[in-house]
Amino acid sequence: MPRVRLPITTDRLVLRSLRPGDERHVFAYRSVPDVVRYIPGEPKTLEQVQDMVAERATAGRIEPSHPICTLAVELDGRVIGDVLLHLDGPDGHDGRQAEIGWVLAPDMQGMGYATEAAEALVRVAFDELGVHRVWAQLDGENDASARICERLGMRREAYFQQGSWFKGQWTDLAVYAVRADEWAARESKAGDH
Ligand SMILES: CC(C)(COP(=O)(O)OP(=O)(O)OC[C@H]1O[C@@H](n2cnc3c(N)ncnc32)[C@H](O)[C@@H]1OP(=O)(O)O)[C@@H](O)C(=O)NCCC(=O)NCCS
C-alpha cells in the first residue's frame, strides 16, 4: 500500500500532522464536554492534549505502518478540529478498509469544514491508498455526523439499537460506509457537472 504525503489541501483547509504548538488550539475544543459527547474519552486536560499532540506529531505521512492517523484541520493558521483515518488490520493491509472520524471546534461548526476535510480524506483513502471501503461508526443520536456521512455519499448499513455500552449507558450505534466503486461513480458524476 503506498504512502500519502502530507499536507492535504482543500479549497479552505490544510490537513496536516499535529505538531508542537497546536496544544492550545486542540485543547480549546477537546476540553469541551459537548464536543466529546459522542467520542471516546472524557474532556481532555491541557496535559492530556500535550501528550496527544506529542504522540501523534511524528507521522508526516499516512502509511500502513502508521495505521491510525490523526490530522489537524487547519484554517488560516488555526487548528479548528481534527480528522481520523484508521486503516484496518494490524498493519493496515488486511481488509484494505479505512474508518474515518471528525471533530470540530464549536465556533467552527455549521460552515461545512468537517465535510470538506472528511471528503478530502476519503478521496485520499480511495485514490492514493487504494482502500476498498471507507466506513464510520456513529452514536445513533449524532445527527450532525450522520449528515456528513450522507453528504459524502455513504450509506447507512447498520443500526444497532442499544448496541453499544458507551459512557455508562446503552446507546444506539449506526454504521455508514461507501465502497470504492460507489465513490468512483460519485466522483465521475460530479466531474460531469
Ligand atoms: C460532527 C461535527 C464535526 C459536525 O459539524 P458540522 O459543522 O455540522 O459539520 P460541517 O462542518 O460539515 O458543516 C455542515 C453544516 O454546515 C452547513 N454549511 C454552511 N456553509 C457551508 C458551506 N460553505 N459548505 C458546506 N456546508 C455548509 C451545512 O448546511 C451543514 O449544516 P446542516 O448539517 O445543518 O445541514 C461536529 O458536530 C462535532 O465536532 N461534534 C463533536 C464530535 C463528534 O461527535 N464527532 C463524530 C464522532 S463519530
Side-chain angles (χ1 to χ4, degrees):
M1 195 181 267
R3 58 167 61 173
V4 174
R5 291 209 172 277
L6 298 173
I8 299 163
T9 54
T10 71
D11 286 347
R12 299 180 291 179
L13 305 169
V14 177
L15 311 187
R16 59 158 175 82
S17 300
L18 287 165
R19 63 186 179 219
D22 289 339
E23 295 83 356
R24 191 171 48 86
H25 291 158
V26 176
F27 176 68
Y29 61 87
R30 284 269 176 180
S31 61
V32 176
D34 256 5
V35 169
V36 300
R37 185 165 158 211
Y38 297 126
I39 57 178
E42 296 303 312
K44 287 200 189 305
T45 62
L46 183 57
E47 195 180 15
Q48 288 168 332
V49 168
Q50 285 163 343
D51 289 347
M52 173 184 162
V53 171
E55 281 162 19
R56 297 173 197 185
T58 47
R61 60 199 176 278
I62 304 174
E63 60 181 340
S65 59
H66 297 98
I68 301 180
C69 184
T70 305
L71 299 181
V73 177
E74 186 184 295
L75 173 74
D76 299 333
R78 172 185 162 195
V79 178
I80 62 165
D82 52 82
V83 284
L84 168 89
L85 185 75
H86 181 184
L87 296 168
D88 280 8
D91 61 1
H93 278 288
D94 274 4
R96 288 206 166 208
Q97 302 193 56
E99 181 184 356
I100 52 168
W102 38 71
V103 181
L104 217 52
D107 65 319
M108 289 289 122
Q109 295 178 11
M111 291 177 267
Y113 293 127
T115 304
E116 187 170 322
E119 185 171 29
L121 206 55
V122 174
R123 188 168 291 119
V124 157
F126 284 128
D127 295 353
E128 297 189 43
L129 294 169
V131 304
H132 174 66
R133 177 174 174 269
V134 172
W135 66 285
Q137 52 182 325
L138 327 175
D139 187 293
E141 292 183 356
N142 194 344
D143 296 335
S145 284
R147 289 196 293 277
I148 294 176
C149 291
E150 281 156 15
R151 280 192 288 270
L152 296 177
M154 300 172 88
R155 209 167 348 92
R156 195 171 92 174
E157 292 192 334
Y159 192 88
F160 302 99
Q161 291 195 19
Q162 298 198 1
S164 173
W165 179 255
F166 189 69
K167 301 198 172 179
Q169 57 179 341
W170 290 108
T171 56
D172 293 353
L173 179 71
V175 174
Y176 283 77
V178 58
R179 294 188 315 266
D181 61 308
E182 295 170 321
W183 182 261
R186 177 183 183 270
E187 292 280 84
S188 133
K189 205 169 156 195
D192 290 345
H193 295 301

